[in-house]
Amino acid sequence: MVPSRFRGAADLPWLHEPWGLAVDCGFVVVGRIARTGEALAEWVASPDEELLGLWWRGFRAKIEEWDEPDNLWSGVPTAPVMALRLLAAEPGGLRVEEFADRVRDVLRGADDVVSTPFWELAGGRDQPEDLIVALLTRFGVVASTGGKVGLSTLGGWALDQVAGLTPPIVTAEMTVAEVLAAVERLDEALAWRRAGRWLGARAPITAARDLLTAAESASPMHRMAALSLAAGLDDSALPAWREAAESPRVGPAARAFLAREFDEQEPTAQDNLWRAVDESVALLDEEDAAGVLPDIWDSLPGDDAEAKIISVEQAGHPDAGRLIEQVRRYAPLAATRPAPPVYQLKISLMYMRPPVWRRVEVSGDTPLGGLHLVIQAAMGWDGDHLHQFTVNRRDFSDPMYELGDMDEWLVDLVGVLPRPGLTARYLYDFGDSWWHTVEVEKIHDAETDVTYPRCVAGKGTRPGEDGGEPEPFDIERIKHRLALVLNS
C-alpha cells in the first residue's frame, strides 16, 4: 500500500528492496536515467554457479547496509552474520521467538555493533532483531520447519563466504604486502584506521618509503592502497614521495601528489594517462566489471571505443590488454548512454559587499563531493577546513567528517538539483562560516571539444582565509586549478 505522503523509494520498502537488489546485481544501471544492465540479459542462460554469484552479490549488498562504520571489523556485515552464526551453533534449530530473543541479546551486548543504522533501516517501525529475522528468511538462508528456524544449506554456504571476507587484524610486525592485502578493498578512511597500528610503529618517512617501494612492484589494486596510506602521512614523508617520483609505475601518481600537495611540477599528459589506466585496472580487480565499467569508460580519454583503446595502448601499461577487452565489451552499452547535461552554476559568497561570485559549468553527473572540489578551485580556498552542503533541508558532507550527514559522493547534481532555479547552500570552515549559494542558472547539452568543469565568468575579491591574503577574480588562475581537479 502506497502511503499518502512519501519522500522517496526508501519510504516504500516493499518496492525499494527489490529495486535496490536489481541495481546491486547489475540488472539495472542507474545514471541520469535507469536502464537494463548486462546481467539481466544474460542471467536466464547463466550456469548455476553464476546465478549463485548474482544471489551472493545481492545478499551481501543487503546485509552490508547493517554495517557499523566505526567498528574495527567494518567491511564485514556484522549483525545478520552474528544471527547466522547463532543458528550454526544450534544444529537442531531454534524456535522463532527464541531466535529473535537471542539476536536481541547479542545486539544489546555488543556496543561495537549496535548503531543508528539499525533504527534508520527500521524507519522507527520495527525492532532490529525482527528486521534481521525477516531479512534472512526472505533470502532463504534460514528455513522454518515445525515452528523452528534453522540454517539452510544456502545459509551455510553464505556463512562460509562471509568467513572469507573477514580481514586480518593489522599488526606492527606485518610485512607491507600483508598490510596491503588486509586493507585492499577498504575505503581510504577505514584503511587508515585498520593500518593504524602498523603505521604508528614507524616514522612517517620510513612508512612512506616502505609503502611506495612495495607499490612499484605490486598489483594495481595494492598500489592504490599503498598510495592512499602514504598520502595520509605528514609532511616529513615528502622525501619518500620525491624518490618515488623517479619510479616507472609509482612515478606518475607520486608526481601528481607532489603537484597537488606541494605545488611542485605538474604531471605530464602521459602521467595522467598512466594513472587513468592503472586506476581502471585496479577497479576491475576490486569490483565486478559490470558495476564499474561505466566509471572506467568515463575516466579513459577518448570519445569512442577506438579512441579509448588507442589511449590505453599508448599508456604502456602491462594490463592494457585486459582493460581493452572490457572496453570493447562495454562499447555497445556506452553508445546508448545519453550524455550527461551541463550545469551552469553561479557560486556566490554570501553577505559580501561588493558581491563575490564565480560562474562555472559542470557535468550534471558530478557528485556533490566533486562539486566541493570545483568550488574550492573557483573561490581559491585552501581546503583545510570542514565543509557541508545543504540541499532541500538535507545535509551532505564527506563521510570522513562523521557529522551524521548523507554522503556527498553518493548523489550528483542531476539527482539533487534537477532543474534551473534551484539552489543549494555550501558552508566552508565551520569557524569563520564562509557561506555560499550555488544556483542552477541553466542546464544545457555539452559542447563538443569543451572540457568540464570550467569557469566562464566571475567578479569580486574573495576575503583572506585564516588571516591570509584576499584573492581577486583571476580566470586563468581558476582554470589552472580546475585542470588540477580534473586530473586529481
Side-chain angles (χ1 to χ4, degrees), residues 297 305-306 309 313 323-332:
W297 179 273
E306 290 308 313
I309 288 170
E313 290 173 339
L323 183 58
I324 289 172
E325 180 182 347
Q326 293 297 336
V327 169
R328 291 192 189 281
R329 176 186 176 196
Y330 184 70

Side-chain angles (χ1 to χ4, degrees), residues 306-320:
E306 290 308 313
K308 291 179 184 295
I309 288 170
I310 290 173
S311 295
V312 173
E313 290 173 339
Q314 290 174 340
H317 197 282
D319 293 307

Side-chain angles (χ1 to χ4, degrees), residues 379-381 461-472 477:
M379 300 303 298
W381 301 120
T461 297
R462 186 265 292 160
E465 180 177 0
D466 296 332
E469 292 295 320
E471 181 175 304
R477 181 186 296 179

Side-chain angles (χ1 to χ4, degrees), residues 157-401:
W157 179 85
L159 201 51
D160 290 340
Q161 303 310 302
V162 171
L165 297 176
T166 306
I169 295 176
V170 175
T171 66
E173 296 75 26
M174 277 185 170
T175 65
V176 179
E178 290 171 333
V179 173
L180 297 179
V183 304
E184 62 183 7
R185 298 180 188 274
L186 304 180
D187 64 44
E188 183 175 341
L190 183 55
W192 180 265
R193 291 204 301 270
R194 187 72 54 76
R197 191 175 303 172
W198 186 89
L199 293 166
R202 291 157 176 79
I205 182 65
T206 302
R209 282 194 173 115
D210 289 348
L211 288 165
L212 296 174
T213 299
E216 179 64 25
S217 58
S219 68
M221 182 167 60
H222 282 190
R223 184 154 47 243
M224 296 305 112
L227 289 165
S228 178
L229 290 176
L233 297 167
D234 64 31
D235 290 357
S236 65
L238 177 58
W241 283 101
R242 287 177 172 153
E243 294 162 8
E246 304 302 319
S247 303
R249 297 185 180 182
V250 176
R255 289 188 285 272
F257 176 84
L258 291 169
R260 183 174 66 249
E261 299 296 330
F262 298 98
D263 294 324
E264 298 196 3
Q265 184 176 357
E266 293 181 34
T268 65
Q270 185 66 22
D271 286 339
N272 293 331
L273 180 57
W274 169 274
R275 289 173 55 220
V277 173
D278 204 34
E279 291 168 5
S280 295
V281 174
L283 272 178
L284 283 178
D285 290 340
E286 182 177 353
E287 303 288 347
D288 178 79
V292 299
L293 280 175
D295 291 334
I296 289 175
W297 179 273
D298 292 338
S299 70
L300 295 175
D303 295 327
D304 55 32
E306 290 308 313
K308 291 179 184 295
I309 288 170
I310 290 173
S311 295
V312 173
E313 290 173 339
Q314 290 174 340
H317 197 282
D319 293 307
R322 184 155 60 94
L323 183 58
I324 289 172
E325 180 182 347
Q326 293 297 336
V327 169
R328 291 192 189 281
R329 176 186 176 196
Y330 184 70
L333 285 176
T336 65
R337 290 173 56 198
V342 171
Y343 273 57
Q344 179 178 300
L345 305 174
K346 184 177 182 181
I347 303 164
S348 304
L349 193 55
M350 300 172 65
Y351 316 120
M352 289 289 127
R353 292 293 182 271
V356 178
W357 57 270
R358 309 288 185 256
R359 178 171 290 123
V360 298
E361 292 184 334
V362 183
S363 177
D365 60 357
T366 301
L368 288 184
L371 180 59
H372 154 69
L373 300 177
V374 170
I375 294 173
Q376 290 284 304
M379 300 303 298
W381 301 120
D382 64 19
D384 286 344
H385 301 284
L386 300 179
H387 69 271
Q388 182 183 62
F389 288 94
T390 301
V391 188
N392 194 25
R393 299 187 299 277
R394 293 181 297 167
D395 294 329
F396 301 83
S397 63
D398 191 317
M400 289 180 62
Y401 296 166

